Amino acid sequence: MNNTTTKGQIIKGKPVADKISQELINEVNNLVKEGINPKLAVVRVGSRPDDLAYERGALKRCQTIGIETEVVELPENISQEEYINVIHKLNDDKKVNGILAFRPLPKHLNEDEIKYHIDPKKDVDCFNPINTAKIVENDKSGFPPCTPTAVVEILKHYDIGLSGANIAVLGRSMVVGKPVSMLLLNENATVTICHSRTKNLPEISSKADIVVAAVGKAKMVTANYVKDGAVVIDVGINVDNNGNLCGDVDTENLLEKVSMITPVPGGVGSVTTSILASHVVKACKLQNNK
């Protein structure tokens, strides 16, 4: 573990995202020279504010890197059959390399059926269970979800040693908790997955070198959850009592105790779109045998 830093260093996502983007710009330039244009299709049902916010960020990031984009906006009341047809069309479209399907889908659409229809080779945000299985098998040809991958990239960027580190992951969702645990395990970390039924949660969490908070509860992680000099990665996006955006971690009160901590906003979330872009480029290269 690299805990020689001063207390309470706020580690931002932007430098990580910028570094990834710069590398991708070069990769895309080389592909374009060969007549290959990476392209992402975004499939959105209705217009939820959080979907729109992420979409804007993703389109902007792709534009900066040189990735073509297409947004497929579908009505709220689209039928299951129509939605699957849209996915199949994109699967068959040779120009589209990556498909990002916004979730959760409206209640009348069955995600458990739909997820099998998206081509795993174009599934850049891990909707199809084949890509989930590839995380477990440490098969690098798959596409893990963008947010958990962003967590790992931030830790690596700031030279936080993962091999042999004790890591507590708070949360077990398929969106973050489970996949990030597998990705960290693949980096030779010792991972404890904690959740709402975990007994003595603060006690377990406070023994970890690194705490990844992904519970979805505003400022739940207080000083008693972390040991002196720990690294804290805050994946939560919540709104506090004053209507301000905040994470799962009570950052202000932890600054004196931790060695490094990611802010919200400006932390993990700011890296996810560059991971998405990197997955589109990776998919494009695999599809073109590069």
Side-chain angles (χ1 to χ4, degrees):
M1 281 298 298
N2 171 17
N3 280 338
T4 54
T5 48
T6 52
K7 284 284 173 84
Q9 184 190 348
I10 290 178
I11 52 173
K12 295 194 171 177
K14 190 175 185 300
V16 189
D18 289 348
K19 183 170 181 280
I20 294 167
S21 293
Q22 197 48 58
E23 288 165 3
L24 291 173
I25 288 168
N26 298 333
E27 282 189 64
V28 170
N29 281 341
N30 291 333
L31 288 168
V32 170
K33 278 176 195 163
E34 295 182 50
I36 300 166
N37 297 293
K39 183 175 179 181
L40 168 70
V42 177
V43 183
R44 171 166 50 79
V45 179
S47 48
R48 286 177 42 209
D50 53 343
D51 285 351
L52 290 170
Y54 186 62
E55 183 183 293
R56 278 193 300 273
L59 297 182
K60 193 176 167 191
R61 179 73 63 185
C62 287
Q63 187 184 2
T64 305
I65 292 164
I67 296 169
E68 293 179 7
T69 53
E70 173 189 347
V71 177
V72 183
E73 187 174 352
L74 303 169
E76 281 277 1
N77 61 352
I78 189 165
S79 72
Q80 176 99 352
E81 192 185 351
E82 287 171 313
Y83 187 91
I84 289 169
N85 283 342
V86 168
I87 296 294
H88 283 182
K89 268 188 195 153
L90 294 171
N91 285 344
D92 296 337
D93 186 342
K94 293 278 191 287
K95 286 181 180 168
V96 171
N97 305 111
I99 301 168
L100 170 65
F102 276 123
R103 292 169 285 161
L105 293 168
K107 293 277 186 284
H108 69 280
L109 298 176
N110 182 0
E111 282 188 28
D112 287 337
E113 186 194 334
I114 288 168
K115 65 187 178 185
Y116 290 99
H117 287 273
I118 188 166
D119 183 343
K121 295 186 190 73
K122 295 188 176 188
D123 174 31
V124 287
D125 196 25
C126 199
F127 193 2
N128 190 309
I130 287 174
N131 279 313
T132 309
K134 284 186 176 185
I135 308 171
V136 179
E137 295 196 347
N138 200 12
D139 178 341
K140 304 287 193 216
S141 71
F143 302 97
C146 296
T147 300
T149 309
V151 170
V152 178
E153 288 302 319
I154 287 171
L155 289 165
K156 286 181 174 177
H157 180 88
Y158 288 102
D159 292 325
I160 297 157
L162 297 177
S163 185
N166 284 316
I167 303 182
V169 174
L170 315 185
R172 56 174 168 181
S173 75
M174 285 303 291
V175 180
V176 180
K178 283 183 186 174
V180 83
S181 301
M182 285 298 127
L183 291 173
L184 292 165
L185 195 59
N186 293 342
E187 297 290 338
N188 302 314
T190 301
V191 183
T192 305
I193 305 172
C194 305
H195 46 82
S196 57
R197 303 288 172 87
T198 301
K199 289 177 182 170
N200 307 323
L201 179 52
E203 190 188 326
I204 293 168
S205 179
S206 65
K207 289 189 171 81
D209 304 313
I210 300 167
V211 176
V212 179
V215 280
K217 277 192 180 172
K219 300 184 182 179
M220 183 189 106
V221 179
T222 46
N224 59 327
Y225 279 76
V226 296
K227 71 176 181 184
D228 281 346
V231 173
V232 178
I233 305 292
D234 191 352
V235 190
I237 296 181
N238 312 291
V239 176
D240 67 14
N241 297 333
N242 303 320
N244 298 319
L245 209 58
C246 70
D248 289 347
V249 178
D250 187 3
T251 307
E252 249 170 70
N253 292 316
L254 258 66
L255 278 174
E256 286 302 303
K257 199 171 189 185
V258 300
S259 62
M260 294 181 180
I261 189 164
T262 58
V264 176
V268 176
S270 56
V271 183
T272 50
T273 55
S274 45
I275 300 294
L276 174 69
S278 75
H279 285 178
V280 177
V281 173
K282 175 180 164 183
C284 177
K285 288 167 95 169
L286 286 169
Q287 287 159 34
N288 287 281
N289 301 314
K290 292 292 169 196

